[in-house]
Amino acid sequence: MKKIFLTIALGLCACAMMAVPPSKKGAVSVRTVRSERVVPPPPPVHPQHVRIATPQQVNEMVRVLKKLSFDDNRMEVAKLCVMLCPIATADLAKMASTFTFDSNRLAFYKFAYDYCPDKERYLMLKDSFKFSSDSREFVNFVAKMQQ
């Protein structure tokens, strides 16, 4: 697992936007294999300054996610990818397709929303759910976030 995190981190170094000072306000808790840590909220997105993950980086992320056996491990790695480099909405769908369960896709999309540089296209992700109840919950989440 450590090797996978290192591979992703090295591959995305060029894409990382800027260091964010740790802050408890608005922070997100992320469970890792060994402990729980606090992740600072994403920096404000300014479209002219955003370097979105390239298709090659996204393909590498998807390849790494597919190698993992369990959705919990995939979720940890996918969250790390999203935090290191902004990922376009269409590419989030590619990453989420590696999850086995809709509930995990939904949790991933909710986490990734704040980091997504093209939020205006976020509703297109509703088609990636197998069950209409998850799709409805996703649409309600996006509507609430865009108010």
Side-chain angles (χ1 to χ4, degrees), residues 80-92:
L80 176 65
C81 292
V82 168
M83 288 186 296
L84 287 175
C85 185
I87 299 171
T89 300
D91 295 330
L92 287 173

Side-chain angles (χ1 to χ4, degrees), residues 25-135:
K25 185 177 180 184
V28 177
S29 176
V30 176
R31 187 178 60 82
T32 63
V33 175
R34 296 186 183 173
S35 65
E36 188 163 310
R37 62 188 169 90
V38 175
V39 177
V45 175
H46 302 287
Q48 66 273 19
H49 301 299
V50 175
R51 290 190 302 219
I52 297 174
T54 65
Q56 294 83 6
Q57 289 171 319
V58 173
N59 290 339
E60 178 64 17
M61 290 181 229
V62 171
R63 188 185 65 74
V64 168
L65 291 173
K66 285 181 177 178
K67 280 185 170 182
L68 298 172
S69 303
F70 301 104
D71 272 4
D72 288 345
N73 295 338
R74 286 187 195 112
M75 183 68 77
E76 289 179 31
V77 173
K79 285 181 176 181
L80 176 65
C81 292
V82 168
M83 288 186 296
L84 287 175
C85 185
I87 299 171
T89 300
D91 295 330
L92 287 173
K94 290 178 189 174
M95 292 177 68
S97 70
T98 64
F99 292 113
T100 307
F101 302 106
D102 270 0
S103 58
N104 292 328
R105 276 186 207 93
L106 182 61
F108 174 65
Y109 288 153
K110 286 181 176 182
F111 177 84
Y113 182 83
D114 287 332
Y115 296 89
C116 184
D118 59 342
K119 291 177 179 64
E120 68 278 357
R121 301 184 68 217
Y122 218 70
L123 268 178
M124 74 178 245
L125 296 173
K126 72 178 175 55
D127 296 331
S128 66
F129 295 102
K130 294 175 183 155
F131 299 104
S132 60
S133 59
D134 293 312
S135 183

